[in-house]
Amino acid sequence: MTWNDLARPRGAPPGDEAAAARVDNRTNLLVAEYTAIRAVMAQKSAASHALVGAYLTVVAVILGFVVANRADPRLLLAVPVLAAISGITILRRRRDREAANSYIREVLRPVALECSGDDRVFRWDDFYAQQRGSRSLLYEFGLQLVFPLSGFACLFVTLPLLASVGEWLAWLAGLSFLVALISAYVHQNRNHLARSVSGSRALGLRLAWRRGRSGGGRHP
C-alpha cells in the first residue's frame, strides 16, 4: 500500500484522478510545512547550544584577564548582564520550539490524520515527550542554572570592591537583569515547577506517614 492509497479520501473511487491530484497537492504542502518547521526548530536548538558555548568562552576570557593578567576585578560586572541576556534569549528560543511543537500537534497532525486515515502519523513530539522523562527536565534546569549562578557569583565577588556611584549602578543593573532572568524562567516553567513542588510535598507527606506508623508500632 502506497502513501497515495492512504492519502485518498475515504469513499473516493480509485479512478477519481481530480480528487487524487488534490490530495497529492495537499499532502505535498503538509509535508513541506512540517519539514520547514522541523528545520527551524533544529536551527533554534543549535543556536541555543552555540550561545551557551559562546557565553562560557567569554566568561573564561574575562576570568583569565582578572586572574592571570591581574586586571581590574570589576570587569566581572559585565558577566551578570551577559548571563541575563543569554539566558533570556535561550528561554525565548525554547518557547518558540514549544509553540512549533504545539502547531504540529494541534494543526498539522489533524490534517495528516484526515488525509491518511491513520492516527500514527506525526507522533514524534508526543513520543519524545514521553521518553525524555525527568532527565530532560534536569538538563534544562542545569542549563538555566549556569547563567544566574555565574552572574550572582560575580556580583558577590565585586560587592566589596565598589567605590563609586557608577560602579554601584552597574552592580544594581546586573542584579536587576538576573532577577528578570529568574522571573522569566519561573513564568515559563511554572507548570513544571508546580508539579515538582506538588510531587515533593506528596513524597514528604508519604514519608512522614510511614515514619508515624513505624513510630507508633514501636511505642504502642
Side-chain angles (χ1 to χ4, degrees):
M1 182 178 292
T2 64
W3 170 257
N4 289 333
D5 296 328
L6 290 173
R8 183 175 292 112
R10 297 175 182 177
D16 192 349
E17 299 297 335
R22 287 195 298 271
V23 171
D24 286 341
N25 293 334
R26 192 181 186 185
T27 302
N28 291 335
L29 291 174
L30 181 67
V31 173
E33 186 173 10
Y34 176 80
T35 303
I37 292 174
R38 297 298 304 181
V40 171
M41 292 170 62
Q43 181 182 7
K44 287 182 176 294
S45 180
S48 296
H49 287 86
L51 181 58
V52 174
Y55 170 77
L56 294 177
T57 301
V58 171
V59 172
V61 170
I62 294 176
L63 287 176
F65 276 114
V66 172
V67 176
N69 297 336
R70 304 208 177 264
D72 191 341
R74 282 165 290 195
L75 285 174
L76 297 173
L77 290 173
V79 173
V81 178
L82 294 176
I85 293 174
S86 301
I88 291 176
T89 301
I90 289 178
L91 286 175
R92 175 62 184 271
R93 288 173 178 168
R94 194 180 74 173
R95 188 178 66 179
D96 292 342
R97 294 197 303 269
E98 291 176 351
N101 285 331
S102 298
Y103 180 80
I104 292 174
R105 183 171 56 253
E106 299 173 8
V107 178
L108 295 187
R109 188 170 180 271
V111 178
L113 176 60
E114 180 182 348
C115 289
S116 66
D118 191 342
D119 61 354
R120 294 171 296 179
V121 295
F122 289 179
R123 294 297 302 270
W124 163 248
D125 298 309
D126 295 335
F127 177 79
Y128 179 72
Q130 294 173 359
Q131 295 296 319
R132 65 183 183 178
S134 60
R135 290 177 298 177
S136 179
L137 294 179
L138 290 175
Y139 170 76
E140 293 289 344
F141 178 74
L143 182 63
Q144 287 301 322
L145 201 60
V146 170
F147 301 105
L149 275 183
S150 58
F152 280 118
C154 291
L155 290 179
F156 179 78
V157 170
T158 55
L159 181 59
L161 306 176
L162 303 178
S164 66
V165 176
E167 292 170 359
W168 274 103
L169 290 176
W171 192 90
L172 292 174
L175 179 62
S176 301
F177 272 85
L178 291 179
V179 170
L181 170 61
I182 294 176
S183 300
Y185 179 80
V186 171
H187 178 74
Q188 185 168 329
N189 295 275
R190 58 188 182 276
N191 294 330
H192 296 302
L193 293 174
R195 285 196 296 267
S196 299
V197 171
S198 300
S200 300
R201 184 180 303 171
L203 179 60
L205 293 175
R206 193 179 301 115
L207 292 175
W209 179 75
R210 289 181 179 178
R211 290 179 181 177
R213 287 193 59 185
S214 62
R218 291 176 185 175
H219 304 283

